[in-house]
Amino acid sequence: MAARGHVQDPNDRRLRPIYDYLDNGNNKMAIQQADKLLKKHKDLHCAKVLKAIGLQRTGKQDEAYALAQEVAALEPTDDNSLQALTILYREMHRPELVTKLYEAAVKKVPNSEEYHSHLFMAYARVGEYKKMQQAGMALYKIVPKNPYYFWSVMSLIMQSISAQDENLSKTMFLPLAERMVEKMVKEDKIEAEAEVELYYMILERLEKYKEALDVVRGKLGEKLTSELQSRENKCMAMYKKLCRWPECNALSRRLLLKNSDDWQFYITYFDSVFQLIDESWTPPPEEEHSLEGEVHYTVEQAVKFVEERITEESKSSRPLRGPYLAKLELIRRLRYRGCNDEYKLGDPEELMFQYFRKFGDKPCCFTDLKVFVDLLPSSQYTKFISQLLEVIPLSATAESEIALPADIKALQQHLCVVQLSRLLGIYHAMDKKQKLTVVRELMLRYRHGLEFGKSCLKTELQFSDYYCLLAVHLLLDLWLEGEESAVWQCLTLLEEGLSHSPSNAQFKLLLIRIYCRLGAFEPVAELYSSLDAKHIQHDTIGYLLTRYAESLGHYAAASQSCNFALRFFHSNQKDTSEYIIQAYKYGAFEKIPEFIAFRNRLNSSLHFAQVRTERMLLDLLLEANISTSLEESIKSMSLSPEEDDIPWKDLRDNRDLTVLFNWDPKDRDISEEHRKLSLEEETMWLRIRSLTLRLVSGLPTLSHTIQPKNSEKTAENGVSSKIDTIRSLLQQLEAAVDSGKKFLEQKIQYPVLGPPPTRMAGFFSNGSCQCQTSLFYLVSDIYELDTNGLEDSAEIQERIGNSFKSLVDRLTDLFNKCKGDLIEVRDGTLKTHPNLLENLVFFVETISIALWVSSYCDSVLRPFKSNLQKKKKKKKESSVAMPPVFTHFLDYVTELQTLTSNVIDHIKGLEIILTALKLEDMSLKDTLLLQEEKKFTKTVQGKVQSSYHHSVQEIGELLKKRLDTIKKLKI
């Protein structure tokens, strides 16, 4: 503080306690302290702003904003006030106000480097690229430092990236940026590597690859030193763009001579060799082959080159995998091209065997060989595996008839062979008995392998974990083939594995998937939180949680999981701005477009759109017309039926569908086609959910009293346009439902560990869809009744009466599809019925929509009834005929009440059955279970039972609240 000069000292000293209170989260004391200070020093602007920060943090946003605007209107130029206002506006998510603040400060103090750079960063936060360019140049004029000049250049590039018109980008912004940098080059003012990177970026975007190559190869290229081989990589990229294959080849060859383990250069080397062969290229006589030296342009040279790398590797102090894999890669390419030269390199089976002998004890051996197994003929698979097993040092012990590894190296080698056996489909071809024998052997090996990991920390994985995972994969095969008990063994083995290796994410992910398939969500929430998903993972693996939480009746957990995801997506906006600012400060210009692309990709994330929609539907389900009115709930969410904020055309599927390890052969693994179909299905389901939400949000907008038959008046009120919106949304919903039904006709089966299917199939098959659609059609009829009045509307009334009847029938059908035991014991095996749980959840949602629609009916019919009663009193007649619609509505409400009471009774019955179910008396009918496994089986079954109990309780609680709402609906 002393360094800032003695002038500000008194104020700094006075403000210090307020800062301390704010830092410690004591906002009320901060407000009090600020008030005290303001009584003595009315002109102390910073105290006002700090008070506003306290108000903002205690939820008094409007007061905070008013105070802040008071100070901002005075256009302060003291550092304390400006910094405090910046913090406040950032917390309010109003970065655009910071720009106005510094624009005023710069006008008053035009030569301040600090304020100008703050103004530039404020523009960067809101993406005002043109103003950034101007601010950068203004800054450079005041303080001629290179970074400021290049900030301005980068802002031009950003204008070109964000320009809608690509032509404008290439004819105006980029050429201007190029001229600005060329000026600095001519004046020899280029100082830093970042400036050369920027010049290269401009030339690359302008497709001036020749000039970019000259820059990198020239004097300026000498500054490219921060990354290893940065210069070479850039040269290589330009040679490829220019199709200069001789240079590509010579450069990659030269780099491989330096480091024969760099895989990317092998790929370039092979690509370029075959390009040169296709072009029949020959070196020019009596000249150098290329700018980069000698070129290889025949298969013979490539074969000799790879052989030389292997010979050289044998002299190396540490074993290198690159040369051996390069040999296999070359064979694969020659075979693909139909060349007869592959025999010169040897037999792929023998080469893979030798590779295994050399690197089999490394965990990477399996992933290396996985790429090349299609070089083996399928008839040789079993022989190949036997050959590998022969070279592993396994020794039989007295206690076990199976030969076991004596050390970790032998264990890794054996694991590699087991993984290859699964990949080659050897396990898939076995019958049930053989598979169970293999499972028993794998678990024995797993438990034996735990001996080697006794000294492992809790955060480390056990060496033999993969044995357990592979055993579970085999059991999953059996389960899919109809063996019900296998799935319980899967859970038992995974829980056992997790007890020995508590940090193994694969165990947790597999447990999550299986528990969800069985309809038990309770254990999943804990497993997911122990995964400790960070940042981007909320988008890539968050779907594992959000897909099942609500659909299995865990409303509280669903709310929480949506909040986790949404918090990440909302903070992404703010965080990315900070990354961009840091990139400007440190000259990492090439990262700025990447950060912006990252932000855009997250904003158009499919998962983000799904979570947003489901979260709002869930909030309405839990609160609307229970704790708050539907109208208030919709208002607090700023929902409007006309607005659709989902970027349908740009939706990005960021899910990581390969997060679970898999050793399945290609034909059983998740394919590109599966991904495409899954995205299509998810988008259709999202459209249905989004339209449902928008239709519900349109209900309160119709509930205005309308003067009957006065069309001018209704048009003025804007209500007729509201009903048009509802009708248009209803047509869109019908279309979306039709598309969904057509899609489901394909009967797509995803792999068991592939993408989970959406809830769409259940939504159609249990009748919820028809119920919800007819409810929205009923809204349209009631609205018509409202505008036409009771006199001339016998036909509409009859239509409404019929709708009420068919709705009750449909809801009763839906309830019938919820009946049955959730968990049953069949032939000594547990069987769960998650579809009944999902149907119950859909029933609750549909009955809630029915009640919101009934509230609208109630708001329309109530005024009619009171008018009729007034007429009755005036005429003093005892028999003014009541229109039938009232009777229909009252009958409907009574039937809804009865139906809901029946469902609540059914749920109570389910609770009693679930509580009474004594799982421990039941042993799984399988000799596979050892004593220690039985302990885990009990745990697993207990978790599933408890989860179902919890689901049923939550559903029951919510239905009771809905029943109370129905009771209030008597007109």
Side-chain angles (χ1 to χ4, degrees), residues 860-926:
V860 168
L861 295 176
R862 207 179 279 261
F864 280 141
K865 190 164 187 183
S866 59
N867 285 344
L868 279 171
Q869 282 166 340
K870 280 175 196 167
K871 277 184 191 172
K872 207 175 181 182
K873 279 180 188 169
K874 275 184 194 169
K875 294 185 177 178
K876 294 183 180 164
E877 286 177 29
S878 55
S879 60
V880 170
M882 271 290 174
V885 72
F886 293 112
T887 328
H888 294 324
F889 183 63
L890 284 173
D891 291 348
Y892 168 64
V893 170
T894 313
E895 283 174 322
L896 273 189
Q897 192 172 327
T898 314
L899 178 62
T900 310
S901 301
N902 291 345
V903 180
I904 290 170
D905 291 341
H906 170 65
I907 286 174
K908 278 181 191 157
L910 288 177
E911 276 190 58
I912 292 163
I913 294 167
L914 283 168
T915 313
L917 196 63
K918 293 273 188 287
L919 296 179
E920 55 270 19
D921 299 346
M922 191 203 81
S923 64
L924 283 177
K925 52 140 200 171
D926 211 290

Side-chain angles (χ1 to χ4, degrees), residues 60-77:
K60 297 174 182 169
Q61 282 88 347
D62 296 343
E63 286 179 54
Y65 182 66
L67 256 183
Q69 291 312 85
E70 245 179 71
V71 177
L74 300 168
E75 300 184 346
T77 52

